[in-house]
Amino acid sequence: HSDLGEVAPEIKASERRTAVAIADLEWREMEGDDCEFRYGDGANEAQDNDFPTVERSRFQEMLSLLGLETYQVQKLSLQDSLQISFDSMKNWAPQVPKDLPWNFLRKLQALNADARNTTMVLDVLPDARPVEKESQMEEEIIYWDPADDLAADIYSFSELPTPDTPVNPLDLLCALLLSSDSFLQQEIVLKMALCQFALPLVLPDSENHYHTFLLWAMRGMVRTWWSQPPRGVGSFREDSVVSSRVPAFAFVRMDVSSNSKSQLLNAVLSAGHRQWDCFWHRDLHLGTNAREISDGLVEISWFFPCGKEDVDVFPEPVAFLNLRGDIGSHWLQFKLLTEISSAVFILTDNISKKEYKLLYSMKESTTKYYFILSPYRGKRNTNLRFLNKLIPVLKIDHSHVLVKVSSTDSDSFVKRIRAIVGNVLRAPCRRLSVEDMAHVARKLGLRVDEDCEECQKAKDRMERITRKIKDSDAYRRDELRLQGDPWRKAAQVEKEFCQLQWAVDPPEKHRAELRRRLLELRMQQNGHDPSSGVQEFISGISSPSPSEKQYFLRWMEWGLARVAQPRLRQPPETLLTLRPKHGGPTDLGEPLWPEPLGVEHFLREMGQFYEAESCLVEAGRLPAGQRRFAHFPGLASELLLTGLPLELIDGSTLSMPVRWVTGLLKELHTRLERRSRLVVLSALGVPCTGKSTLLNTMFGLRFATGRSCGPRGAFMQLITVAEGFSQDLGCDHILVIDSGGLIGGALTSAGDRFELEASLATLLMGLSNVTVISLAETKDIPAAILHAFLRLEKTGHMPNYQFVYQNLHDVSVPGPRPRDKRQLLDPPGDLSRAAAQMEKQGDGFRALAGLAFCDPEKQHIWHIPGLWHGAPPMAAVSLAYSEAIFELKRCLLENIRNGLSNQNKNIQQLIELVRRL
């Protein structure tokens, strides 16, 4: 101790006391003390307050390095991460540590498998990255003052990553999660799951001295897997990973291990010869970089079977847990793992007296323990002596001790681990859901992210609504009374009334009759009061707390999904190719697939109350001063601004509630004030061709995807353009419209069904500046969309359009050759002639390639590789898919910036266009 004081007398007092405490602890360990946390006489002052200073400073330095220190009070939000900026159009590599969080978020949004790569490119051309970032690099070059004494630098954490040293990806993840609000945390975890990355389950926070169990962050995860009962026929099951009870296996390190548990886990999880790096490990690029703040992180990943014997490693879902760091330094996390796992695998080279005491304290545990040793690195005799003592304590035998050295055949060792896991699965074993794990974490004193007051109040409100839902159809009929027949009849009357406007000499008597019928239906609707469930929903979205409002909406989505009608069970590889049957006589109001009860039904009910009241006010049947629902559009516009997709075209009646939509847009215009310039981007195509997934990947949106193809109606979601980029792009917001299941692919022979789909396609394309048409095959342009092109060409309103050919099966299929492009733009003759005859163009019909703006030699046609790399449900999103989506996004934004789309409009102009169309 005195030597330390002589070497560095200039270290400030608190740092010196901390250094003395550390030196004293290390000295006692070397002397063979019992390794308890005891301090020498010279360090008594450091015992209570100064010792944690090391970790606090390290954490703050990491935040400063990554530019995240400003987000410790006002957390980074999901809307912040989704803004369109100059960076959205550039695929540039990060150059300074402050670029890393944004680079990670952008790549994760695009489901890019390289998102965890934190390599920085220092020497690049000036135009290879945004100009506004260059000043950051200059600021970061000076990391410490060279005039400082070297000895002081040693104790000022000079081992932290410097601006030219890559940051460990796990440190980046922890720093970003600790700087994000609950909803961005949830988005990060969901995107990581799609990329098949290991997910954070327990998040360490050395600054505030607590660890957080991330239950809320995983709440929205739904997976599909093959379920095979002991007797009977197997089927695909879809469930939330949070509520599914599965066996869990933990892998931990004790002291030092020359074997990598993350590599071992990856090998155990991977089927076939190709290993997927689910857990980040030491042999990956930057894997050897020291972890600064992420020790104590617990990660989780699952194996899900697909029903193919040659692919399935295990016959049922299994969870795997990985503790980063040594169990001796993270005892609380290790204790949690022993209480939630069916078995724990302990990797170590040495078992000393300290480690023996740690394990001896687990003698009451019912968990199975397995040791994986590397004897060449350890002390063979010492290990054997302590193992013999642990055999009766942990109730293990010699089969629970595995030896792995570099010469051991890796494949054989992995098979042995899998065999052990399989044996545990076949015997009665502990099976817990993530919710059960959170309950154990609470008992141990860990913080659970879902336990905050706002989240719990929102959950209670959701449960008051959903506990009354015993049958979805009955609930809609009894509680959502304005929908169903009243709204369907009113929508039909309004359609007939609208069509009369275009008649040459419409009979006034018929017009008056339609007006009378409409008023009767609206008065009937207005005679109802909102049901108790609707009133509770309105209270939930009226909360003065923005966070509580968002919590409530998420809880409603999950709560309604739990009580709604069961969804279609489809094999994972066909989730994106499911199609409704077309042709034949069909009721125009009949859904193409069962429509589960969702948040949109409550918003539809609010919309119908507003529609009915507005109609009566317009007709003079209700004084404006007696309105009760005039504030509803304002509530809906706030939801749109927070990122919730809102229904534009009602999926039950296939019509647009014009008063409700225009009222909502007026309120949006009021709230946005001067930032109301819009570009409307729509995506059309038959259901389940991947258009919603494409939009979500491109912009980080939340349109319903997969499984039963989501709700039937068309939905819109708002994206904000960063203020510094809006002048360059020419708009302040982008309104994205997903056509959902409106375009069912009806043939021209389907009569009314085809005419309805063609009208809806014309409406959506007519509202748009840019239209993306998603196709599953090269000759799969729906007839309704061709029909819309012909109508719009006659009006002179033609959006900039991009045809996207999505390869739903094979990743390796190359892009279309010029010949394929020409075939895509020249639809089959019979279909062309039928569409032309309906538009009364006869022999004057031109193929699609002849329409304005469409040059097959330019980039109007895109080939998007297959979404999955591997066999679902264990497949990750392919890198080729992510990169192709980014290029499409860049092209769309470039077209908007260069004015190749229709003239951008403000919200007032959009309102007029909605009414006119």
Side-chain angles (χ1 to χ4, degrees), residues 253-282:
R253 172 172 60 83
M254 187 167 68
D255 194 23
V256 175
S257 173
S258 52
N259 295 309
S260 168
K261 62 184 185 305
S262 298
Q263 277 182 296
L264 181 58
L265 276 167
N266 292 338
V268 170
L269 281 165
S270 300
H273 297 291
R274 182 189 175 278
Q275 178 174 305
W276 179 258
D277 293 315
C278 178
F279 292 91
W280 193 264
H281 59 85
R282 64 178 67 160

mmCIF file of all heavy atoms in Angstrom, residues 253-282:
data_model
loop_
_atom_site.group_PDB
_atom_site.id
_atom_site.type_symbol
_atom_site.label_atom_id
_atom_site.label_comp_id
_atom_site.label_asym_id
_atom_site.label_seq_id
_atom_site.Cartn_x
_atom_site.Cartn_y
_atom_site.Cartn_z
ATOM 1 N N ARG A 253 -19.831 -19.323 -16.962
ATOM 2 C CA ARG A 253 -18.374 -19.489 -16.809
ATOM 3 C C ARG A 253 -18.008 -19.274 -15.350
ATOM 4 O O ARG A 253 -18.483 -18.318 -14.713
ATOM 5 C CB ARG A 253 -17.628 -18.494 -17.688
ATOM 6 C CG ARG A 253 -16.113 -18.479 -17.444
ATOM 7 C CD ARG A 253 -15.397 -17.621 -18.474
ATOM 8 N NE ARG A 253 -15.831 -16.237 -18.477
ATOM 9 C CZ ARG A 253 -15.369 -15.307 -17.638
ATOM 10 N NH1 ARG A 253 -14.478 -15.628 -16.709
ATOM 11 N NH2 ARG A 253 -15.797 -14.059 -17.745
ATOM 12 N N MET A 254 -17.161 -20.152 -14.824
ATOM 13 C CA MET A 254 -16.649 -20.013 -13.464
ATOM 14 C C MET A 254 -15.157 -19.726 -13.536
ATOM 15 O O MET A 254 -14.394 -20.520 -14.097
ATOM 16 C CB MET A 254 -16.913 -21.300 -12.664
ATOM 17 C CG MET A 254 -16.552 -21.183 -11.194
ATOM 18 S SD MET A 254 -17.206 -22.553 -10.217
ATOM 19 C CE MET A 254 -16.225 -23.910 -10.853
ATOM 20 N N ASP A 255 -14.778 -18.557 -13.031
ATOM 21 C CA ASP A 255 -13.393 -18.108 -13.097
ATOM 22 C C ASP A 255 -12.964 -17.990 -14.564
ATOM 23 O O ASP A 255 -13.477 -17.164 -15.289
ATOM 24 C CB ASP A 255 -12.487 -19.043 -12.306
ATOM 25 C CG ASP A 255 -11.112 -18.435 -12.059
ATOM 26 O OD1 ASP A 255 -10.995 -17.190 -12.098
ATOM 27 O OD2 ASP A 255 -10.146 -19.189 -11.853
ATOM 28 N N VAL A 256 -12.060 -18.845 -15.015
ATOM 29 C CA VAL A 256 -11.545 -18.743 -16.377
ATOM 30 C C VAL A 256 -11.845 -20.042 -17.112
ATOM 31 O O VAL A 256 -11.743 -21.130 -16.537
ATOM 32 C CB VAL A 256 -10.018 -18.492 -16.368
ATOM 33 C CG1 VAL A 256 -9.473 -18.505 -17.795
ATOM 34 C CG2 VAL A 256 -9.697 -17.177 -15.676
ATOM 35 N N SER A 257 -12.230 -19.921 -18.384
ATOM 36 C CA SER A 257 -12.444 -21.108 -19.217
ATOM 37 C C SER A 257 -11.817 -20.872 -20.577
ATOM 38 O O SER A 257 -12.038 -19.826 -21.201
ATOM 39 C CB SER A 257 -13.936 -21.406 -19.380
ATOM 40 O OG SER A 257 -14.132 -22.458 -20.313
ATOM 41 N N SER A 258 -11.023 -21.821 -21.030
ATOM 42 C CA SER A 258 -10.421 -21.707 -22.352
ATOM 43 C C SER A 258 -11.403 -22.099 -23.452
ATOM 44 O O SER A 258 -11.141 -21.904 -24.630
ATOM 45 C CB SER A 258 -9.163 -22.585 -22.441
ATOM 46 O OG SER A 258 -9.468 -23.907 -22.029
ATOM 47 N N ASN A 259 -12.543 -22.680 -23.066
ATOM 48 C CA ASN A 259 -13.602 -23.002 -24.020
ATOM 49 C C ASN A 259 -14.617 -21.874 -24.057
ATOM 50 O O ASN A 259 -14.955 -21.300 -23.015
ATOM 51 C CB ASN A 259 -14.307 -24.310 -23.634
ATOM 52 C CG ASN A 259 -13.382 -25.507 -23.718
ATOM 53 O OD1 ASN A 259 -12.726 -25.708 -24.727
ATOM 54 N ND2 ASN A 259 -13.324 -26.298 -22.645
ATOM 55 N N SER A 260 -15.107 -21.554 -25.228
ATOM 56 C CA SER A 260 -16.098 -20.487 -25.384
ATOM 57 C C SER A 260 -17.504 -21.072 -25.260
ATOM 58 O O SER A 260 -17.908 -21.922 -26.053
ATOM 59 C CB SER A 260 -15.942 -19.820 -26.754
ATOM 60 O OG SER A 260 -17.060 -18.984 -27.028
ATOM 61 N N LYS A 261 -18.239 -20.623 -24.264
ATOM 62 C CA LYS A 261 -19.594 -21.144 -24.095
ATOM 63 C C LYS A 261 -20.523 -20.616 -25.183
ATOM 64 O O LYS A 261 -21.465 -21.306 -25.593
ATOM 65 C CB LYS A 261 -20.138 -20.809 -22.706
ATOM 66 C CG LYS A 261 -20.270 -19.349 -22.366
ATOM 67 C CD LYS A 261 -20.719 -19.184 -20.915
ATOM 68 C CE LYS A 261 -20.993 -17.734 -20.561
ATOM 69 N NZ LYS A 261 -19.860 -16.837 -20.820
ATOM 70 N N SER A 262 -20.254 -19.411 -25.693
ATOM 71 C CA SER A 262 -21.096 -18.862 -26.761
ATOM 72 C C SER A 262 -20.932 -19.650 -28.054
ATOM 73 O O SER A 262 -21.902 -19.948 -28.753
ATOM 74 C CB SER A 262 -20.751 -17.389 -26.996
ATOM 75 O OG SER A 262 -21.003 -16.627 -25.827
ATOM 76 N N GLN A 263 -19.698 -20.007 -28.370
ATOM 77 C CA GLN A 263 -19.473 -20.845 -29.550
ATOM 78 C C GLN A 263 -20.131 -22.206 -29.385
ATOM 79 O O GLN A 263 -20.723 -22.738 -30.329
ATOM 80 C CB GLN A 263 -17.971 -21.029 -29.782
ATOM 81 C CG GLN A 263 -17.305 -19.892 -30.522
ATOM 82 C CD GLN A 263 -15.838 -20.172 -30.747
ATOM 83 O OE1 GLN A 263 -15.070 -20.279 -29.800
ATOM 84 N NE2 GLN A 263 -15.436 -20.293 -31.985
ATOM 85 N N LEU A 264 -20.030 -22.758 -28.189
ATOM 86 C CA LEU A 264 -20.647 -24.051 -27.929
ATOM 87 C C LEU A 264 -22.168 -23.962 -28.075
ATOM 88 O O LEU A 264 -22.797 -24.844 -28.676
ATOM 89 C CB LEU A 264 -20.269 -24.516 -26.525
ATOM 90 C CG LEU A 264 -20.806 -25.886 -26.080
ATOM 91 C CD1 LEU A 264 -20.335 -26.979 -27.031
ATOM 92 C CD2 LEU A 264 -20.376 -26.185 -24.652
ATOM 93 N N LEU A 265 -22.761 -22.907 -27.558
ATOM 94 C CA LEU A 265 -24.201 -22.713 -27.695
ATOM 95 C C LEU A 265 -24.618 -22.601 -29.156
ATOM 96 O O LEU A 265 -25.629 -23.183 -29.578
ATOM 97 C CB LEU A 265 -24.625 -21.454 -26.930
ATOM 98 C CG LEU A 265 -24.873 -21.624 -25.427
ATOM 99 C CD1 LEU A 265 -24.958 -20.271 -24.749
ATOM 100 C CD2 LEU A 265 -26.146 -22.418 -25.188
ATOM 101 N N ASN A 266 -23.863 -21.832 -29.930
ATOM 102 C CA ASN A 266 -24.174 -21.688 -31.353
ATOM 103 C C ASN A 266 -24.145 -23.043 -32.059
ATOM 104 O O ASN A 266 -24.996 -23.335 -32.910
ATOM 105 C CB ASN A 266 -23.191 -20.727 -32.017
ATOM 106 C CG ASN A 266 -23.364 -19.296 -31.549
ATOM 107 O OD1 ASN A 266 -24.432 -18.927 -31.050
ATOM 108 N ND2 ASN A 266 -22.328 -18.493 -31.688
ATOM 109 N N ALA A 267 -23.147 -23.853 -31.712
ATOM 110 C CA ALA A 267 -23.041 -25.173 -32.338
ATOM 111 C C ALA A 267 -24.214 -26.066 -31.946
ATOM 112 O O ALA A 267 -24.756 -26.807 -32.772
ATOM 113 C CB ALA A 267 -21.718 -25.826 -31.955
ATOM 114 N N VAL A 268 -24.630 -25.979 -30.692
ATOM 115 C CA VAL A 268 -25.754 -26.796 -30.227
ATOM 116 C C VAL A 268 -27.051 -26.381 -30.925
ATOM 117 O O VAL A 268 -27.890 -27.223 -31.279
ATOM 118 C CB VAL A 268 -25.902 -26.677 -28.696
ATOM 119 C CG1 VAL A 268 -27.202 -27.302 -28.216
ATOM 120 C CG2 VAL A 268 -24.717 -27.319 -28.004
ATOM 121 N N LEU A 269 -27.225 -25.094 -31.151
ATOM 122 C CA LEU A 269 -28.455 -24.577 -31.759
ATOM 123 C C LEU A 269 -28.511 -24.782 -33.267
ATOM 124 O O LEU A 269 -29.594 -24.775 -33.853
ATOM 125 C CB LEU A 269 -28.594 -23.080 -31.460
ATOM 126 C CG LEU A 269 -29.108 -22.701 -30.069
ATOM 127 C CD1 LEU A 269 -28.857 -21.237 -29.792
ATOM 128 C CD2 LEU A 269 -30.592 -23.015 -29.962
ATOM 129 N N SER A 270 -27.370 -24.914 -33.909
ATOM 130 C CA SER A 270 -27.316 -24.926 -35.377
ATOM 131 C C SER A 270 -27.497 -26.341 -35.909
ATOM 132 O O SER A 270 -26.814 -27.273 -35.473
ATOM 133 C CB SER A 270 -25.981 -24.350 -35.862
ATOM 134 O OG SER A 270 -25.821 -23.024 -35.414
ATOM 135 N N ALA A 271 -28.401 -26.480 -36.870
ATOM 136 C CA ALA A 271 -28.597 -27.765 -37.540
ATOM 137 C C ALA A 271 -27.747 -27.793 -38.808
ATOM 138 O O ALA A 271 -27.505 -26.759 -39.436
ATOM 139 C CB ALA A 271 -30.069 -27.950 -37.893
ATOM 140 N N GLY A 272 -27.295 -28.964 -39.208
ATOM 141 C CA GLY A 272 -26.507 -29.080 -40.428
ATOM 142 C C GLY A 272 -25.077 -28.620 -40.219
ATOM 143 O O GLY A 272 -24.585 -28.474 -39.094
ATOM 144 N N HIS A 273 -24.395 -28.350 -41.335
ATOM 145 C CA HIS A 273 -22.973 -28.013 -41.275
ATOM 146 C C HIS A 273 -22.738 -26.523 -41.047
ATOM 147 O O HIS A 273 -21.678 -26.120 -40.614
ATOM 148 C CB HIS A 273 -22.290 -28.440 -42.581
ATOM 149 C CG HIS A 273 -22.343 -29.930 -42.797
ATOM 150 N ND1 HIS A 273 -21.639 -30.820 -42.022
ATOM 151 C CD2 HIS A 273 -23.047 -30.674 -43.687
ATOM 152 C CE1 HIS A 273 -21.873 -32.056 -42.425
ATOM 153 N NE2 HIS A 273 -22.732 -31.999 -43.436
ATOM 154 N N ARG A 274 -23.739 -25.698 -41.369
ATOM 155 C CA ARG A 274 -23.529 -24.257 -41.239
ATOM 156 C C ARG A 274 -23.917 -23.801 -39.835
ATOM 157 O O ARG A 274 -24.986 -24.115 -39.337
ATOM 158 C CB ARG A 274 -24.381 -23.507 -42.269
ATOM 159 C CG ARG A 274 -24.167 -22.001 -42.207
ATOM 160 C CD ARG A 274 -25.176 -21.278 -43.083
ATOM 161 N NE ARG A 274 -25.043 -19.844 -42.933
ATOM 162 C CZ ARG A 274 -25.594 -19.155 -41.929
ATOM 163 N NH1 ARG A 274 -26.285 -19.782 -41.014
ATOM 164 N NH2 ARG A 274 -25.438 -17.845 -41.855
ATOM 165 N N GLN A 275 -23.018 -23.072 -39.182
ATOM 166 C CA GLN A 275 -23.284 -22.585 -37.838
ATOM 167 C C GLN A 275 -23.730 -21.130 -37.894
ATOM 168 O O GLN A 275 -23.073 -20.290 -38.498
ATOM 169 C CB GLN A 275 -22.040 -22.710 -36.961
ATOM 170 C CG GLN A 275 -22.241 -22.168 -35.536
ATOM 171 C CD GLN A 275 -21.056 -22.441 -34.641
ATOM 172 O OE1 GLN A 275 -20.642 -23.589 -34.487
ATOM 173 N NE2 GLN A 275 -20.488 -21.398 -34.052
ATOM 174 N N TRP A 276 -24.867 -20.844 -37.266
ATOM 175 C CA TRP A 276 -25.358 -19.471 -37.185
ATOM 176 C C TRP A 276 -24.883 -18.858 -35.875
ATOM 177 O O TRP A 276 -25.028 -19.452 -34.812
ATOM 178 C CB TRP A 276 -26.883 -19.435 -37.261
ATOM 179 C CG TRP A 276 -27.427 -18.050 -37.157
ATOM 180 C CD1 TRP A 276 -28.001 -17.456 -36.077
ATOM 181 C CD2 TRP A 276 -27.400 -17.044 -38.178
ATOM 182 N NE1 TRP A 276 -28.342 -16.166 -36.347
ATOM 183 C CE2 TRP A 276 -27.986 -15.877 -37.641
ATOM 184 C CE3 TRP A 276 -26.941 -17.029 -39.500
ATOM 185 C CZ2 TRP A 276 -28.129 -14.712 -38.371
ATOM 186 C CZ3 TRP A 276 -27.083 -15.860 -40.224
ATOM 187 C CH2 TRP A 276 -27.666 -14.717 -39.663
ATOM 188 N N ASP A 277 -24.302 -17.667 -35.963
ATOM 189 C CA ASP A 277 -23.736 -17.017 -34.776
ATOM 190 C C ASP A 277 -24.832 -16.278 -34.019
ATOM 191 O O ASP A 277 -24.910 -15.039 -34.047
ATOM 192 C CB ASP A 277 -22.603 -16.077 -35.187
ATOM 193 C CG ASP A 277 -21.414 -16.839 -35.733
ATOM 194 O OD1 ASP A 277 -21.041 -17.852 -35.119
ATOM 195 O OD2 ASP A 277 -20.870 -16.435 -36.786
ATOM 196 N N CYS A 278 -25.644 -17.031 -33.337
ATOM 197 C CA CYS A 278 -26.716 -16.438 -32.541
ATOM 198 C C CYS A 278 -26.128 -15.642 -31.376
ATOM 199 O O CYS A 278 -26.495 -14.500 -31.136
ATOM 200 C CB CYS A 278 -27.641 -17.547 -32.053
ATOM 201 S SG CYS A 278 -28.986 -16.992 -31.020
ATOM 202 N N PHE A 279 -25.210 -16.261 -30.652
ATOM 203 C CA PHE A 279 -24.512 -15.594 -29.545
ATOM 204 C C PHE A 279 -23.179 -15.055 -30.056
ATOM 205 O O PHE A 279 -22.413 -15.773 -30.704
ATOM 206 C CB PHE A 279 -24.256 -16.577 -28.407
ATOM 207 C CG PHE A 279 -25.498 -17.040 -27.708
ATOM 208 C CD1 PHE A 279 -26.163 -18.183 -28.134
ATOM 209 C CD2 PHE A 279 -26.006 -16.339 -26.625
ATOM 210 C CE1 PHE A 279 -27.311 -18.624 -27.486
ATOM 211 C CE2 PHE A 279 -27.151 -16.772 -25.977
ATOM 212 C CZ PHE A 279 -27.801 -17.915 -26.411
ATOM 213 N N TRP A 280 -22.910 -13.808 -29.772
ATOM 214 C CA TRP A 280 -21.634 -13.183 -30.169
ATOM 215 C C TRP A 280 -20.500 -13.847 -29.386
ATOM 216 O O TRP A 280 -20.604 -14.048 -28.188
ATOM 217 C CB TRP A 280 -21.670 -11.686 -29.866
ATOM 218 C CG TRP A 280 -20.564 -10.919 -30.514
ATOM 219 C CD1 TRP A 280 -19.374 -10.560 -29.948
ATOM 220 C CD2 TRP A 280 -20.530 -10.431 -31.845
ATOM 221 N NE1 TRP A 280 -18.612 -9.868 -30.841
ATOM 222 C CE2 TRP A 280 -19.291 -9.774 -32.019
ATOM 223 C CE3 TRP A 280 -21.418 -10.470 -32.913
ATOM 224 C CZ2 TRP A 280 -18.917 -9.165 -33.216
ATOM 225 C CZ3 TRP A 280 -21.060 -9.866 -34.100
ATOM 226 C CH2 TRP A 280 -19.820 -9.227 -34.248
ATOM 227 N N HIS A 281 -19.400 -14.204 -30.077
ATOM 228 C CA HIS A 281 -18.336 -14.939 -29.399
ATOM 229 C C HIS A 281 -16.955 -14.431 -29.795
ATOM 230 O O HIS A 281 -16.795 -13.591 -30.687
ATOM 231 C CB HIS A 281 -18.466 -16.445 -29.678
ATOM 232 C CG HIS A 281 -18.404 -16.806 -31.138
ATOM 233 N ND1 HIS A 281 -17.226 -17.000 -31.812
ATOM 234 C CD2 HIS A 281 -19.412 -17.010 -32.037
ATOM 235 C CE1 HIS A 281 -17.495 -17.303 -33.078
ATOM 236 N NE2 HIS A 281 -18.802 -17.317 -33.243
ATOM 237 N N ARG A 282 -15.951 -14.988 -29.153
ATOM 238 C CA ARG A 282 -14.582 -14.467 -29.224
ATOM 239 C C ARG A 282 -13.951 -14.612 -30.607
ATOM 240 O O ARG A 282 -13.040 -13.855 -30.937
ATOM 241 C CB ARG A 282 -13.711 -15.184 -28.194
ATOM 242 C CG ARG A 282 -13.565 -16.684 -28.448
ATOM 243 C CD ARG A 282 -12.651 -17.367 -27.449
ATOM 244 N NE ARG A 282 -13.201 -17.376 -26.102
ATOM 245 C CZ ARG A 282 -12.807 -18.221 -25.152
ATOM 246 N NH1 ARG A 282 -11.876 -19.131 -25.416
ATOM 247 N NH2 ARG A 282 -13.334 -18.187 -23.953
#
